[in-house]
Amino acid sequence: DALVISESIYGNYEKALELCKRRYSRDTNNFDFGLLAGTYSALGQYKESLKYYKKIEKYSSDPKSNSNLMRQIGYAYWQNGYKTEAEQWFNKQKKKDEESLKLGRSSSIFTNINLAALYAFKGEREKAYEQLNAFNKIQICMFHFIRFMKSEPMFNSIRNEPEFQKIVGELEAKYQDEHERVRKWLEENGKL
């Protein structure tokens, strides 16, 4: 799974899909269908994506689930023309995320960016930017968050707007600052 995630983070979706298929062929019972479904989605292969998301639907809709897949499942339904089902999944994700923020759960940092993507897709720009600005308050930004913002299709409606670009630029600067701080520490401690 780590290799698939790593390849996906760097946008190497074909390689990620190859790794997923190889792992799936070895063990179909102990397999993360969300990774396979997400990889197909990243490649724009929404029929295949939905096929695998359907294998995990029952687990992802459990209120106790820690899954952020509901938005992704909804998007796969949307891309396949099932708007009613998509809206149901979007609403489940929104409810779960809003509750998570209200309760201050540790996963709420990703919840902001997750909600922002959902709001952007639904055309609720103000709410999307409210969530993006809340997310932008983080001190350190990991690369995969930047990659998500640059590649997530649900951000397509606002991706080229100056406000979105400004937030991404600020997050990239935070990433670079932390990257440089770690490099200096490694150098000072003889690790480089």
Side-chain angles (χ1 to χ4, degrees):
D1 291 355
L3 284 174
V4 174
I5 293 168
S6 179
E7 293 295 342
S8 293
I9 287 172
Y10 289 101
N12 302 325
Y13 302 118
E14 292 288 346
K15 180 67 175 173
L17 181 60
E18 177 188 321
L19 292 168
C20 274
K21 285 180 174 179
R22 191 178 316 150
R23 182 156 179 263
Y24 181 66
S25 70
R26 283 185 264 143
D27 187 357
T28 59
N29 294 322
N30 186 21
F31 185 75
D32 184 347
F33 290 105
L35 279 177
L36 184 56
T39 304
Y40 274 119
S41 185
L43 289 166
Q45 297 178 27
Y46 300 112
K47 285 185 181 174
E48 285 296 308
S49 176
L50 184 58
K51 177 173 122 180
Y52 291 102
Y53 277 134
K54 284 183 174 185
K55 292 182 180 285
I56 58 173
E57 278 182 326
K58 62 184 172 190
Y59 307 109
S60 298
S61 62
D62 181 348
K64 295 175 188 161
S65 166
N66 197 22
S67 174
N68 286 309
L69 290 174
M70 291 179 264
R71 176 186 52 76
Q72 295 166 278
I73 293 169
Y75 188 74
Y77 270 107
W78 187 275
Q79 291 300 320
N80 282 285
Y82 301 107
K83 308 298 188 206
T84 302
E85 292 87 344
E87 287 295 338
Q88 291 170 349
W89 282 102
F90 292 153
N91 290 335
K92 287 179 188 180
Q93 186 75 64
K94 183 180 172 206
K95 181 179 178 185
K96 179 184 177 293
D97 287 349
E98 287 173 345
E99 182 179 312
S100 180
L101 287 176
K102 184 178 172 184
L103 296 172
R105 292 186 180 143
S106 62
S107 64
S108 65
I109 191 67
F110 186 76
T111 301
N112 291 122
I113 198 169
N114 198 39
L115 272 173
L118 186 57
Y119 287 135
F121 181 73
K122 294 176 89 30
E124 298 179 54
R125 293 177 66 258
E126 285 184 32
K127 288 182 178 181
Y129 283 119
E130 181 182 316
Q131 294 300 323
L132 287 172
N133 285 317
F135 177 77
N136 195 18
K137 291 178 183 174
I138 62 174
Q139 299 298 310
I140 299 168
C141 186
M142 293 183 282
F143 180 75
H144 67 274
F145 288 127
I146 297 165
R147 177 78 183 149
F148 175 79
M149 289 181 68
K150 288 183 166 185
S151 63
E152 173 57 44
M154 292 183 84
F155 282 123
N156 285 350
S157 66
I158 63 171
R159 181 167 286 114
N160 295 323
E161 293 181 2
E163 189 173 356
F164 186 86
Q165 291 298 314
K166 178 180 173 273
I167 292 168
V168 170
E170 289 171 359
L171 291 168
E172 286 175 323
K174 291 175 188 182
Y175 169 77
Q176 290 300 330
D177 288 348
E178 182 64 10
H179 192 72
E180 181 61 17
R181 187 191 68 73
V182 170
R183 188 198 63 75
K184 284 181 182 177
W185 182 91
L186 289 170
E187 197 173 81
E188 290 167 1
N189 289 283
K191 307 285 184 189
L192 279 182

